[in-house]
């Protein structure tokens, strides 16, 4: 059995098209990314994932740029190549400068390092953090 | 052989005390956290880690609050209990509100989910991300 | 020094051939996958890994399809591209339908999300889970 | 600032109570787990997460027991202590026997091992997996 | 249903006792660790895991101390508290000094950092590494 | 916005060239690897990372070969393709034989397996490990 292939708009069923239309309208783009064209194989997951992302990534207490940078930080930590490319592009579109990217990577790298130092030295939580 | 124990200031050698003094001065605190008291078993790592963190976490293109939130996002992704407690406290001290924390967790959760959806559906990178 | 290359049957030593023969016989296939041809560089690991997998993946309290789907879920979580391809193929061969795959990915994505929400909110274990 | 505390039903606002009520009704339980009482600090995430889980975990092409076992497999791989306890309990409630648990752990352990063997030997994907 | 409990020697069935006996004889210890007492719930996994570990951890091209330090490095990276405690103790018993532990942690921390810098900057593999 | 491109020596600013020169001198090589050419986009991170690595990877209580093998073990666990290629090459250059590599992978695989068995069976730490 072959791996999945993208489902493009002309081949999509009405429920998938409705989601694609909403993505395009919300993001003001002409076509959806591969991520959505692959999720289209499971219309329930496509719809739920899009609606969750639309709600979560809308500016709120945090602005859109910060949210995309956090998304990128997680994707870099997990080593998801697709997500690094897509959210790297999205973060830049939302205003992440080259200097911001450099500092973001520095923080992500350092956090991954000190997470392991804390593990290895088995450091107990300071009572002061809990007040 | 027992696990490590914290090295407190009175028991610390001069090179460790010098780092502790700089941490207290820089952060305007009366005592250093357990993390530093455990790293003190290896003065070279203590010094290098502190100097790296001092450089990386200073406000630059990104403000201190954003950096602490990214640090927290990575620590949550890796499941480092100590780091979640310490950087959760630091992020709050740097101005992270309860609403910001909620949105941060929502983004971290969603990123961890879609990282796996992209893996599982084996989604190829869109050429448009590379321009 | 170059990366490893696959060791094919004609070039394999007797102890490796014996494992290859058992894999082919057990799985009713004409040639072994790359995974085994690379492990063949370390005949002890080849033999131990195959014997463990043969024992573990045989139907028991869980059927073969469920086992392959669990294998796939772990591989997706870890982001192992080779393992996603190989166990995706194996799961399908064992009867995983497209609908099952979609639901599997939905569960894997959600578990990766809520694992981090539980981490970030530092949720204590309910006493009720322990009875 | 202290860590989060659970929000119990009597202290919950109407939008949180509505979710709690739906969880209790759907699962036929008298009180919700800590996970929901902590998410209640962010009612939007509480509602979205519950509705996603309700949709995803309902029996479909996969039965409820298989879904809970996959959830447990991911949680074990990520080392999320809360999730291992909660989904371990849920899987058992859904019919996972001790023998099934043993086989599940064996598969999860083996998958985590071979994921790294495939990484380390840099095994290329077999063309046969793609047909 | 309660979590697992350790199975002690007097309560163990013959097949479990046989493995316990071999562990005690091989390691020259009076009682087995909790890890084995918990795996005893699944005698097949107990036996297979012990036989694999006995084969893998025996001195060969790498000495026992190096092997235990690598085991510890992986456990620290994954954040497995039990494994950090047990393999930390085993590494020390095999001769890991405090200075070695400090350098080991420094390498583990740095590797976890640069793994993410390589991910985030999407660094392509140098042709020179492949010769 | 396109992904990053390597910064080669002729195009590098003085602060970057100074680091490149030190890398080449220390490692006795004619050109630096891609990793450094990409980090060159952020000279502060380039300098800090190189100085940390130079300090950490120098022979001390642990020899260079052991350090490179630990680096490789972490990179394999995290699935970082670039780091596996670069530190695999470095470990071999530092004397890792094919037999050592085979045993290293066997330990890494087994550690990743038993980390999850310990998680899943929720094994408590033996008091004996703490003495």
């Amino acid at each position: 059995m072959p791996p999945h292939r993208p489902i493009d708009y002309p081949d999509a069923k009405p429920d998938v098209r409705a989601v694609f239309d909403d993505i395009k309208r919300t993001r003001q783009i002409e076509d959806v990314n591969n991520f959505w064209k692959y999720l289209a194989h499971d219309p329930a997951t496509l719809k739920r994932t899009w609606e969750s992302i639309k709600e979560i990534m809308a500016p709120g207490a945090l602005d859109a740029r910060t949210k995309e940078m956090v998304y990128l930080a997680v994707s870099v930590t997990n080593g998801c190549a697709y997500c690094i490319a897509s959210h790297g592009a999205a973060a830049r579109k939302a205003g992440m400068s080259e200097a911001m990217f450099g500092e973001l990577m520095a923080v992500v790298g350092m956090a991954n390092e000190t997470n392991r130092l804390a593990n290895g030295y088995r450091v107990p939580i300071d009572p002061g953090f809990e007040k």
Side-chain angles (χ1 to χ4, degrees), chain A:
Chain A
M1 189 180 178
H4 288 87
R5 302 183 69 78
I7 295 179
D8 283 303
Y9 195 89
D11 307 319
K13 292 182 187 161
D15 55 350
V16 167
R17 281 194 181 187
V19 176
F20 282 12
D21 285 334
D22 192 38
I23 296 173
K24 292 194 279 186
R25 200 164 36 231
T26 304
R27 297 197 165 166
Q28 309 261 35
I29 50 179
E30 286 185 28
D31 194 13
V32 304
N33 295 332
N34 277 337
F35 182 68
W36 307 111
K37 293 180 184 177
Y38 278 71
L39 283 196
H41 287 278
D42 182 357
T45 292
L46 173 70
K47 187 170 191 295
R48 192 181 55 244
T49 305
W50 165 243
E51 288 180 354
S52 293
I53 282 194
K54 187 165 66 162
E55 180 176 316
I56 290 169
M57 299 306 282
L62 299 177
D63 57 279
R65 195 182 68 203
T66 299
K67 288 184 173 184
E68 285 293 350
M69 288 194 300
V70 169
Y71 219 116
L72 180 56
V74 171
S75 302
V76 164
T77 297
N78 286 330
C80 176
Y82 181 82
C83 313
I84 292 168
S86 65
H87 288 279
R92 279 153 173 159
K93 204 171 159 188
M96 179 181 71
S97 67
E98 180 67 16
M100 287 174 188
F101 174 76
E103 295 190 8
L104 179 67
M105 282 308 99
V107 175
V108 169
M110 181 56 43
N112 273 289
E113 176 172 2
T114 59
N115 281 190
R116 274 65 184 206
L117 292 173
N119 285 347
Y121 281 94
R122 304 169 64 190
V123 186
I125 295 178
D126 299 72
F129 293 151
E130 311 295 35
K131 284 171 203 160

